Amino acid sequence: MKKVIFFIPVLIFVLLPGCSSERNTWTSKTYHNLTAHYNGYFYADVEIKKIEDAIRAAHVDDYSRILRLFPTFDSALAKTYEANVEEAIKMASISIQRHPNSKWVDDAYILVGKARMYSLDWGNAIETFKYVNTKSEDRDARHRAIINLIRTFTEHREYNNAQAAIDYLLKQDLSKRNRKDLLLEMAYYYQVREDYDNMVRSLTQATPLLKKSDRSGRIFFILGQVYQELGFESEAFNFYRRCLATNPEYETDFYARLYMAQVAEISRSRDITAARKSFRRLLKDNKNRDFRDRIYYELGTFELKQKNIPQAIANYNLAIREGTDKRVDGVAYLGLGQIYYDTLRDYAMSQAYYDSAIGALPPDFENYAAIKQRQEVLNEFVTNLKTIEWQDSLLAMANLDSAALRARVDSVVAARKLAEQAATGKKKKRRANRIELEANTGNIFGSGEVGSGTADWYFGNPSAMALGESEFRRIWGNIRLEDNWRRSMRLMDAPGIVADVAAVITDSTSTQQAQAAEPADPAEAEFMRLDQQIPRTEEQRAAALKKIEDAYFRVGDIYYFDLLEKDNAEKTYLKLLDRFPDSEYAAEALYKLYLIAKETDPDRARQLSERLIAEHPYSTFARILANPDYLLESSQTAEQQKALYSEAYAHYQASNYIDARRVAENGIALGETAFTPQLQLLHALITGGLDGVEAYQEALSEFIRINPDSELLPYAQKLLETSRKHSSSDAEPREPRYTYTASAPHYFVLLYPTGESGVVEVLEAFNRNHFQESQLTTTEMALDESRAMAVVSHFPDEAAARQYFKTFVDQAAALGDGQNRRHEKVLISTMNFNILYRTKGWDEYVKFFERNYRPQNP
């Protein structure tokens, strides 16, 4: 015993130096591998598994869509496991720092990368996995790092990088585990990209490698869903059956059996009756009581595939009535809306169901944007139809006297009251029967003895409570839990309830005013509301007719462009033209009728085109008929005009009216487009700056005359009205007041007799020879009846203009026969030129020029 005690310290003394991280001995490697694995790495791995369990537990599967292969990451959820992330990184770092020579260093780095990925720290996660790939000597560790890198790239939506990593690994010799993980990550990547062909290919290759710990039953179920989505019902059935063989959790088991009922019988023997029996067995099973809404929805979908529309509608309605799952309600409403839209062409009913679907479906639902768009189209369509109906009714009621109108209102209110009483009685009876039926069903876990259960007490009977909640939501809608909840009810919250047209169309202000003095008699209140809306005056009738005209045109457009019903579009456009022959939409309606007829009736199309050209020769649509490329050419020209407009407006703001006018006129000369009125109005404003108030008012009047339909018309009329008001109150004209500003832009002006030729050409030649880089322009303008001006523009300041003036004077002898030397020449700022051109006071300005410019001339 003494010998043993003596040798223990000796053994420790011999082995401890061998455990140093700097040694490479067998004892050092064994020690560091053991401690790195079962200390830092082990505890870090435990924390990572806790994080993965938390992410999986927070994820809610939506069985109406293909299940996600991996749960989604959420920033709010990530905050709940921050402590686990920090602990995982801390423990993994211990293995890395204290045992750098162990074989678990690479695995510890991978855990650090996963912790950062789960915490949505994408940049550091990517860098960590890349570090392992570049530094590790273990091939399997490098491959695992790239596999996790694919997941990080996919979650961060760096799809090109994810695809590059996939392509690289496909060329490598992978271990069995890494190949399985790669195939699953590939399947997830393709699922996110909605590439179901490659997704199912990757998952199918992964199935032989799956273990029970991989939740193989869930993967088999997803494969069945994908195959069913792609239309391979036989393969879908096989994978649903393989899912059931793994004894999955109950919800997955239920949906596997439910979807098998859709594909199994039909794919085998086309025995529709047997498939329906499968659905009925699911409905009778008490364990599926919470899933009855889903069963009815799938049964409705099954009947729809068999073209059994009435049964499909009935089962979708049962799904809504039986269930408490808002998502199932949403897809059932959507299914009903699609039936009424695509099959029955009842757009009013379809609109009501689409409204309910949008209210129930979450924004992340598949194709939600397209569903929302169709709902908006249907809303607009139904609103316009109701506008036509309601305004026509109001116009018809305008022809009734008060007694006849009051009698009609009394009869309608009485009929409505009887219908409400009958409906209330039926609801009470139906509700009582349902509660009695549910009470007699009993608790599935009860003994069957009288009084053994709690079914007699409402809150002790789950079935009665679920039924009561369903009935409450069906009658009152999805209102919030709050005091005075009846007052918070909204008509649109109650599915299937269509509000009265009068209540929908009534203006909110007039409704509130009517309610303020509303009598106790409902018939009298209805009469007062109607009486306020009936168009009595000519202006009110014109407004009502305008609403009808607009609604007809919009209904025709919705038929033509959105619903793709050209026959109904044609009827609507013809009704519009027949009822409103002078409609502002006449030209466009005729053109669309021409396009519709062009496909089936060339002779009628020719007649319509001739009518369009004869009745609306200057419309855009007539020009399109004359030149099919008109719109393209017009749009190209308009783009050029917009660029010239910007340039002209910049000159206008700088009071450089000469260049502004020149550029604007160049834009107008390109041709008439939708943008031409903008240039014409700018030209009128420039005219005011150059030619004075009278010319400005004439230009505005001409603009108003030639552009009666322009959106700029009210603005032009306002400008003209303001100008006339100010001009009438202005004092007598005063002498022009010129100001000297050396830093202002300047012109060089040469005065010559009207009719003298060659002056502008000589100046342009001079500019090319001596000032080509300055890009000067020369404009000829009339000063008065006997004199004209050649204006060279524009110089940035007086110094530049003075240099030009000096060069011109020095070179005057070489410019011709000498007459240019006799012409008067001045330098003038842009502001002073505007005054000169408006007042025509050349002599006054020459005096100003001599006083301010001549003394500095060399």
Side-chain angles (χ1 to χ4, degrees), residues 257-501:
R257 296 180 187 278
L258 181 62
Y259 294 152
M260 282 178 68
Q262 285 225 19
V263 298
E265 309 295 342
I266 302 304
S267 64
R268 287 178 174 181
S269 61
R270 307 290 180 183
D271 190 352
I272 297 175
T273 303
R276 289 178 178 143
K277 287 181 180 179
S278 298
F279 282 111
R280 284 197 290 271
R281 282 196 298 270
L282 290 171
L283 286 169
K284 290 179 180 178
D285 191 340
N286 284 332
K287 295 193 299 296
N288 299 332
R289 184 172 53 192
D290 293 337
F291 299 105
R292 288 173 65 85
D293 55 347
R294 189 72 205 188
I295 299 171
Y296 277 121
Y297 170 75
E298 295 298 337
L299 180 55
T301 303
F302 173 82
E303 296 293 355
L304 183 61
K305 288 181 180 179
Q306 314 310 317
K307 309 298 182 185
N308 191 355
I309 302 302
Q311 283 300 316
I313 293 174
N315 284 296
Y316 281 147
N317 279 315
L318 284 170
I320 297 167
R321 185 183 305 171
E322 290 284 341
T324 57
D325 188 338
K326 194 173 182 180
R327 184 180 290 268
V328 176
D329 287 351
V331 293
Y333 282 129
L334 179 61
L336 288 166
Q338 290 171 338
I339 289 175
Y340 281 105
Y341 183 96
D342 297 320
T343 306
L344 302 180
R345 300 292 183 181
D346 186 340
Y347 299 119
M349 288 293 292
S350 180
Q351 179 262 342
Y353 284 119
Y354 265 97
D355 265 356
S356 298
I358 287 296
L361 293 173
D364 63 345
F365 187 79
E366 185 177 7
N367 296 325
Y368 183 86
I371 297 168
K372 179 70 173 175
Q373 182 180 8
R374 178 173 287 189
Q375 178 238 2
E376 291 171 352
V377 169
L378 289 171
N379 280 350
E380 184 181 3
F381 181 76
V382 172
T383 298
N384 281 288
L385 287 179
K386 288 181 177 180
T387 297
I388 295 171
E389 180 183 0
W390 183 239
Q391 294 300 325
D392 275 336
S393 298
L394 291 175
L395 289 169
M397 285 186 282
N399 298 322
L400 299 176
D401 56 28
S402 298
L405 179 61
R406 191 180 295 275
R408 184 167 298 185
V409 169
D410 289 343
S411 63
V412 170
V413 171
R416 186 185 302 171
K417 185 176 181 180
L418 288 174
E420 289 176 354
Q421 290 174 349
T424 302
K426 289 181 179 179
K427 287 176 183 177
K428 289 181 178 178
K429 182 177 180 180
R430 186 163 57 247
R431 186 157 54 247
N433 290 340
R434 286 177 184 166
I435 294 174
E436 182 181 356
L437 179 63
E438 293 291 341
N440 290 336
T441 302
N443 193 322
I444 60 173
F445 300 106
S447 62
E449 297 177 4
V450 177
S452 62
T454 56
D456 292 337
W457 186 49
Y458 175 80
F459 291 103
N461 189 333
S463 299
M465 287 178 62
L467 179 65
E469 182 181 354
S470 175
E471 285 293 310
F472 182 89
R473 287 195 304 108
R474 188 175 63 81
I475 297 171
W476 295 103
N478 295 317
I479 63 174
R480 291 180 295 178
L481 182 61
E482 59 184 3
D483 292 337
N484 301 319
W485 52 267
R486 287 184 178 85
R487 299 178 187 176
S488 302
M489 186 190 69
R490 303 288 190 274
L491 265 177
M492 296 306 295
D493 288 340
I497 299 177
V498 181
D500 184 71
V501 176

Side-chain angles (χ1 to χ4, degrees), residues 36 40-42 44-45 48 88-89 91-97 99 102-115 128-129 132 144:
Y41 175 84
F42 176 83
D45 188 49
I48 292 295
I89 294 175
M91 291 293 103
S93 299
I94 289 175
S95 291
I96 295 169
Q97 295 169 0
H99 313 288
S102 76
K103 66 180 181 180
W104 294 97
V105 169
D106 298 334
D107 301 88
Y109 269 118
I110 290 174
L111 290 182
V112 171
K114 293 177 73 173
T128 304
F129 293 135
V132 176
R144 284 202 306 277

Side-chain angles (χ1 to χ4, degrees), residues 485-741:
W485 52 267
R486 287 184 178 85
R487 299 178 187 176
S488 302
M489 186 190 69
R490 303 288 190 274
L491 265 177
M492 296 306 295
D493 288 340
I497 299 177
V498 181
D500 184 71
V501 176
V504 173
I505 304 300
T506 301
D507 180 80
S508 60
T509 304
S510 62
T511 302
Q512 292 170 1
Q513 293 173 351
Q515 288 175 347
E518 183 175 316
D521 185 4
E524 183 64 23
E526 188 70 20
F527 174 80
M528 290 177 61
R529 278 194 290 269
L530 277 175
D531 191 59
Q532 289 179 354
Q533 298 176 70
I534 293 175
R536 307 288 187 186
T537 66
E538 289 299 324
E539 291 78 8
Q540 291 173 339
R541 290 192 183 94
L545 289 171
K546 180 59 179 171
K547 291 179 181 178
I548 295 172
E549 177 187 349
D550 294 341
Y552 265 123
F553 180 74
R554 189 64 194 119
V555 167
D557 276 359
I558 295 174
Y559 269 130
Y560 187 47
F561 294 109
D562 298 308
L563 304 180
L564 302 179
E565 292 194 12
K566 294 182 179 179
D567 290 341
N568 283 329
E570 182 179 11
K571 293 176 183 177
T572 306
Y573 289 138
L574 288 174
K575 191 175 293 184
L576 169 67
L577 294 173
D578 181 59
R579 188 167 179 181
F580 304 96
D582 298 326
S583 170
E584 63 176 290
Y585 308 111
E588 188 172 352
L590 282 171
Y591 180 72
K592 289 170 181 172
L593 286 170
Y594 160 79
L595 293 177
I596 294 171
K598 186 179 178 182
E599 299 177 2
T600 57
D601 192 346
D603 291 337
R604 175 167 168 74
R606 179 179 50 78
Q607 294 172 3
L608 288 166
S609 67
E610 291 174 354
R611 178 182 173 185
L612 174 57
I613 294 172
E615 296 180 3
H616 309 278
Y618 302 110
S619 66
T620 300
F621 303 99
R623 291 173 180 171
I624 293 173
L625 288 178
N627 178 14
D629 296 329
Y630 170 77
L631 287 180
L632 176 61
E633 295 173 359
S634 177
S635 64
Q636 293 171 347
T637 303
E639 290 302 317
Q640 298 176 21
Q641 288 180 327
K642 289 176 183 178
L644 291 173
Y645 179 90
S646 298
E647 182 182 352
Y649 189 73
H651 287 309
Y652 172 75
Q653 285 186 311
S655 299
N656 183 11
Y657 297 134
I658 293 178
D659 287 344
R661 172 181 279 181
R662 173 178 54 79
V663 175
E665 288 175 348
N666 289 340
I668 294 172
L670 291 175
E672 186 176 349
T673 68
F675 193 76
T676 302
Q678 299 271 7
L679 281 167
Q680 290 172 338
L681 184 57
L682 178 59
H683 189 271
L685 297 175
I686 296 168
T687 300
L690 276 174
D691 300 335
V693 176
E694 291 184 3
Y696 173 60
Q697 293 176 358
E698 290 178 4
L700 286 176
S701 298
E702 180 64 12
F703 175 85
I704 293 169
R705 185 186 67 82
I706 64 177
N707 294 287
D709 299 324
S710 173
E711 295 178 354
L712 299 172
L713 183 64
Y715 179 60
Q717 291 172 334
K718 184 67 175 178
L719 289 176
L720 181 58
E721 179 185 352
T722 304
S723 175
R724 287 173 174 168
K725 185 184 299 183
H726 283 288
S727 62
S728 63
S729 59
D730 282 347
E732 291 295 324
R734 297 172 294 178
E735 289 292 321
R737 291 185 178 181
Y738 299 111
T739 57
Y740 174 73
T741 309

Side-chain angles (χ1 to χ4, degrees), residues 7-80:
F7 278 110
I8 288 176
V10 174
L11 184 64
I12 293 173
F13 179 78
V14 172
L15 292 178
L16 276 178
C19 298
S20 172
S21 61
E22 298 177 358
R23 292 178 176 271
N24 198 26
T25 62
W26 177 85
T27 55
S28 176
K29 288 182 179 180
T30 302
Y31 169 76
H32 286 292
N33 286 337
L34 190 66
T35 53
H37 183 198
Y38 290 106
N39 284 308
Y41 175 84
F42 176 83
Y43 289 112
D45 188 49
V46 169
E47 297 299 327
I48 292 295
K49 288 178 179 177
K50 289 180 181 177
I51 295 171
E52 291 173 343
D53 290 341
I55 294 173
R56 188 179 297 119
H59 180 73
V60 178
D61 285 323
D62 177 10
Y63 284 88
S64 64
R65 303 163 63 179
I66 295 174
L67 298 187
R68 291 179 63 91
L69 199 57
F70 298 125
T72 56
F73 294 164
D74 182 75
S75 57
L77 178 64
K79 293 180 179 179
T80 64

Side-chain angles (χ1 to χ4, degrees), residues 97-362:
Q97 295 169 0
R98 297 183 182 178
H99 313 288
N101 293 330
S102 76
K103 66 180 181 180
W104 294 97
V105 169
D106 298 334
D107 301 88
Y109 269 118
I110 290 174
L111 290 182
V112 171
K114 293 177 73 173
R116 288 170 171 167
M117 177 182 69
Y118 291 140
S119 64
L120 279 61
D121 185 2
W122 309 114
N124 285 324
I126 291 170
E127 290 302 318
T128 304
F129 293 135
K130 285 183 176 180
Y131 177 83
V132 176
N133 181 47
T134 55
K135 299 296 183 180
S136 176
E137 297 179 359
D138 184 351
R139 185 182 63 177
D140 286 345
R142 292 199 305 271
H143 292 165
R144 284 202 306 277
I146 298 175
I147 290 169
N148 283 283
L149 195 58
I150 293 171
R151 177 74 179 280
T152 308
F153 283 143
T154 301
E155 295 291 354
H156 198 220
R157 300 182 181 180
E158 297 183 36
Y159 299 127
N160 291 336
N161 291 334
Q163 185 63 62
I166 290 171
D167 293 339
Y168 171 77
L169 284 182
L170 287 175
K171 299 175 184 177
Q172 304 301 309
D173 184 16
L174 304 178
S175 66
K176 186 175 180 180
R177 174 190 169 186
N178 284 345
R179 179 159 184 79
K180 176 196 68 177
D181 291 343
L182 171 62
L183 290 170
L184 292 177
E185 292 294 346
M186 287 172 58
Y188 180 66
Y189 165 79
Y190 291 126
Q191 182 180 29
V192 171
R193 302 302 303 275
E194 297 184 356
D195 183 357
Y196 294 123
D197 288 330
N198 281 315
M199 178 190 177
V200 77
R201 188 177 293 114
S202 300
L203 281 180
T204 304
Q205 293 176 20
T207 52
L209 306 174
L210 295 176
K211 297 179 180 178
K212 190 172 183 179
S213 59
D214 298 316
R215 302 176 73 190
S216 57
R218 177 186 175 83
I219 294 175
F220 292 147
F221 180 82
I222 293 173
L223 271 166
Q225 284 186 302
V226 178
Y227 273 120
Q228 187 174 359
E229 176 72 18
L230 296 176
F232 298 99
E233 295 185 343
S234 178
E235 289 296 326
F237 170 78
N238 291 332
F239 277 104
Y240 286 140
R241 184 169 58 182
R242 291 181 67 178
C243 169
L244 294 175
T246 64
N247 294 320
E249 58 189 28
Y250 179 74
E251 194 170 10
T252 305
D253 181 283
F254 164 75
Y255 280 103
R257 296 180 187 278
L258 181 62
Y259 294 152
M260 282 178 68
Q262 285 225 19
V263 298
E265 309 295 342
I266 302 304
S267 64
R268 287 178 174 181
S269 61
R270 307 290 180 183
D271 190 352
I272 297 175
T273 303
R276 289 178 178 143
K277 287 181 180 179
S278 298
F279 282 111
R280 284 197 290 271
R281 282 196 298 270
L282 290 171
L283 286 169
K284 290 179 180 178
D285 191 340
N286 284 332
K287 295 193 299 296
N288 299 332
R289 184 172 53 192
D290 293 337
F291 299 105
R292 288 173 65 85
D293 55 347
R294 189 72 205 188
I295 299 171
Y296 277 121
Y297 170 75
E298 295 298 337
L299 180 55
T301 303
F302 173 82
E303 296 293 355
L304 183 61
K305 288 181 180 179
Q306 314 310 317
K307 309 298 182 185
N308 191 355
I309 302 302
Q311 283 300 316
I313 293 174
N315 284 296
Y316 281 147
N317 279 315
L318 284 170
I320 297 167
R321 185 183 305 171
E322 290 284 341
T324 57
D325 188 338
K326 194 173 182 180
R327 184 180 290 268
V328 176
D329 287 351
V331 293
Y333 282 129
L334 179 61
L336 288 166
Q338 290 171 338
I339 289 175
Y340 281 105
Y341 183 96
D342 297 320
T343 306
L344 302 180
R345 300 292 183 181
D346 186 340
Y347 299 119
M349 288 293 292
S350 180
Q351 179 262 342
Y353 284 119
Y354 265 97
D355 265 356
S356 298
I358 287 296
L361 293 173

